[in-house]
Amino acid sequence: MADFADILTIFVLAMFVGFEIITKVPPTLHTPLMSGSNAISGITLVGALIAAGSHEWLTATLGFLAVVFATINVVGGFLITHRMLRMFRRKE
Amino acid sequence: MLNQTIVNLLYLLSSVLFIYGLKGLSHPRTAVRGNLIGAVGMLIAIVATLMLGNVRWEIVISGMIIGSGIGTVWSFKVPMTAMPELVAMFNGFGGIASVLVAGAAFITTETENVDLQMTISTAASGLIGGVTFTGSVVAFFKLQNVKWIPDGGFFRGQQVLSTVLLILCVLLGAVLVYSPASVWAYWVIVPLSFVLGVTLVSPIGGADMPVVIALLNSYSGLAACATGFVLNNSVLIVAGSLVGASGVILTNIMCKAMNRSVWHVVFGTLGPSSSTPSADDVYAGKVKATSPEEVAMLFDGARRVVIAPGYGMAAAQCQHVVRDLANLLEARGIEVEYAIHPVAGRMPGHMNVLLAEADIPYDKLKEMDEINPTFSQTDVAIVIGANDVVNPVARTDPNSPIAGMPILDVDKARTVVVIKRSLSPGFAGIPNPLFAADNTLMLFGDGKKAVLETIAAIKAG
């Protein structure tokens, strides 16, 4: 098990990175930013896959449901973001 | 089978790709690639996890097929006007997934292996994830204007109940921390936080929806983060923090654009105060109705036109005819730009997506700070489906509910044409003196019909 301080370090540094890169996103892309970052928050899928591997029925059921919800989040999120971003074009 | 170190290195690669992908969103030119890079990062994280072993493929594959099917169909079918609802719902799914994963991890861990980090983060996952889930569902229905969620919530004093529920959840979290064997506490926190999500979001007014969605976006990230702490999983923490940070920034931008604090949005109310002048005082005898023909004549000799769209444009589905009008004006040598208020529409950037869908180039969409100084050199400003964001009262009346809110200064244009069904107030519930201003003409009617008739009148003239 990783030390709590290590994992807290990752959290705090990632927050700073997040603030730095997100402030650079222009307002015109704020909706795709929300749907795209939302797809990324579907990373819980990783945890869901682990839980679904359990041989206890309750854990596996929770894992299965989590896999379904998180996959909707991931697949739907990336697809809708792609669909939106492809509409943005410059003046020709 | 890969060992944990290799999987962790692959997680690191995923995290880097997420950061790199979000960086791509800093410009529309690189945004499509950025999103794809993010998706590749996700794929790597998934494959790496499955390579760890201990996979029950029948569960994983069936779950992923169901989820992918629903996600794919939904994302292709949803119209751009309904994007806020969709994003709200996806936020909610992220939240419930975190609740389930944290719960599953907690019940499988032997009690003697449960440490402080695990109990605190499990309780946090349950609370944040639960609130995100039902809060998003309520936001989804509110955005569809359902009747059974009344404005202002289900009953008075709902905020008191919210506070009580929050305190209860925190106390139960403390129970979990002090006696990790009391798994029941987690399964009580979850339903309580479900109720809390409903009581928190249901009283929030329509004007504040952009803030709520941004806030829920941030919660869905923080819930993933908390689950990362439960599982000691770095990629969950990195991805969750990025999303959390993004939601926090967007929430701040939205609040600033309305001159309100998050606290006020969640616990306050927006509405006319006793000192608000009545609609009769503001409008009586001063409102000038106009016709499409008269509007068409305004464009003779005009050099610059600015269009200020609001949610009404989306509701009337008229972004495509607005583009036709703009193309027609440009063909006559008139410069046309769009003024986008940060809270126009129902979520951050909503107007930009709708106008992009109508093939309007993004470089013509101007932010408030950029376009406001240009209104004094603008011949005609066309307000379509916007109200509170162009209400000059925000600048003039310190007692108004929208006092201090930055607005689009359309009233500084030589002539303002407001396309609107009636003089009904916007979300803030107050009359708009812009409609009665000397340089304003009201073109009453359905947005799409009004614009089409104006186009016909220009062509005929």
Side-chain angles (χ1 to χ4, degrees), chain A residues 29-78:
Chain A
L29 291 179
H30 277 169
T31 295
L33 168 67
M34 288 186 88
S35 62
S37 65
N38 192 245
I40 292 177
S41 80
I43 187 70
T44 320
L45 179 54
V46 164
L49 295 174
I50 298 171
S54 168
H55 286 276
E56 278 176 59
W57 71 269
L58 180 58
T59 313
T61 310
L62 294 175
F64 170 75
L65 290 174
V67 169
V68 173
F69 282 120
T71 312
I72 297 177
N73 201 349
V74 167
V75 174
F78 281 120

Side-chain angles (χ1 to χ4, degrees), chain B residues 106-459:
Chain B
F106 195 70
I107 54 175
T108 32
T109 310
E110 301 291 332
T111 308
E112 63 267 24
N113 291 333
V114 173
D115 56 3
L116 197 61
Q117 177 190 330
M118 183 158 198
T119 47
I120 294 179
S121 52
T122 304
S125 291
L127 176 59
I128 304 173
V131 169
T132 310
F133 176 55
T134 52
S136 301
V137 172
V138 171
F140 172 83
F141 284 117
K142 276 190 89 98
L143 286 163
Q144 296 195 322
N145 293 319
V146 295
K147 295 269 179 293
W148 51 268
I149 304 177
D151 277 340
F154 294 104
F155 54 88
R156 288 175 69 87
Q158 228 173 274
Q159 279 104 344
V160 178
L161 178 60
S162 301
T163 315
V164 172
L165 285 168
L166 183 64
I167 293 171
L168 274 178
C169 288
V170 173
L171 288 177
L172 285 163
V175 169
L176 208 57
V177 169
Y178 283 105
S179 111
S182 1
V183 182
W184 60 269
Y186 182 73
W187 299 117
V188 180
I189 291 177
V190 171
L192 286 183
S193 62
F194 282 171
V195 180
L196 179 58
V198 176
T199 57
L200 269 181
V201 176
S202 58
I204 299 176
D208 292 326
M209 271 305 149
V211 181
V212 175
I213 300 179
L215 204 56
L216 290 169
N217 192 225
S218 141
Y219 286 176
S220 75
L222 294 177
C225 231
T227 309
F229 277 94
V230 176
L231 302 174
N232 257 316
N233 186 311
S234 61
V235 72
L236 253 74
I237 293 177
V238 172
S241 329
L242 295 173
V243 181
S246 157
V248 169
I249 290 173
L250 291 174
T251 308
N252 266 325
I253 293 173
M254 294 295 108
C255 282
K256 253 192 213 144
M258 295 198 300
N259 194 34
R260 309 185 66 202
S261 65
V262 181
W263 187 258
H264 193 231
V265 168
V266 177
F267 288 104
T269 47
L270 183 70
S273 60
S274 54
S275 61
T276 304
S278 78
D280 288 343
D281 292 346
V282 175
Y283 297 139
K286 295 182 209 147
V287 173
K288 296 181 288 295
T290 186
S291 64
E293 291 72 26
E294 205 179 338
V295 173
M297 278 189 281
L298 288 175
F299 297 122
D300 288 337
R303 276 181 319 217
R304 178 176 161 82
V305 171
V306 172
I307 299 173
Y311 182 68
M313 183 191 75
Q317 294 277 356
C318 62
Q319 56 271 32
H320 293 88
V321 293
V322 167
R323 175 211 49 209
D324 293 340
L325 174 65
N327 286 349
L328 186 61
L329 295 176
E330 283 178 335
R332 303 190 169 207
I334 302 172
E335 178 190 20
V336 181
E337 286 186 331
Y338 298 80
I340 312 292
H341 193 279
V343 294
R346 292 286 184 89
M347 73 183 292
H350 192 195
M351 281 299 128
N352 305 71
V353 169
L354 291 171
L355 294 172
E357 187 197 16
D359 261 341
I360 295 163
Y362 57 78
D363 28 12
K364 282 192 192 163
L365 314 182
K366 301 294 179 191
E367 290 168 45
M368 180 166 61
D369 294 340
E370 194 183 344
I371 198 123
N372 267 348
T374 72
F375 277 113
S376 51
Q377 291 105 49
T378 299
D379 298 298
V380 184
I382 305 172
V383 177
I384 176 156
N387 191 346
D388 296 330
V389 296
V390 293
N391 192 338
V393 154
R395 287 195 307 252
T396 55
D397 179 4
N399 296 319
S400 155
I402 59 168
M405 173 171 129
I407 59 160
L408 294 169
D409 297 330
V410 288
D411 54 324
K412 302 210 167 132
R414 199 153 56 95
T415 312
V416 185
V417 175
V418 178
I419 301 176
K420 205 171 173 322
R421 282 176 189 277
S422 67
L423 288 170
S424 62
F427 284 125
I430 53 171
N432 189 341
L434 174 74
F435 303 160
D438 290 337
N439 59 337
T440 301
L441 298 170
M442 299 295 295
L443 183 53
F444 288 110
D446 169 69
K448 195 167 186 174
K449 199 161 151 268
V451 175
L452 280 172
E453 285 172 358
T454 306
I455 292 174
I458 295 173
K459 285 182 176 158

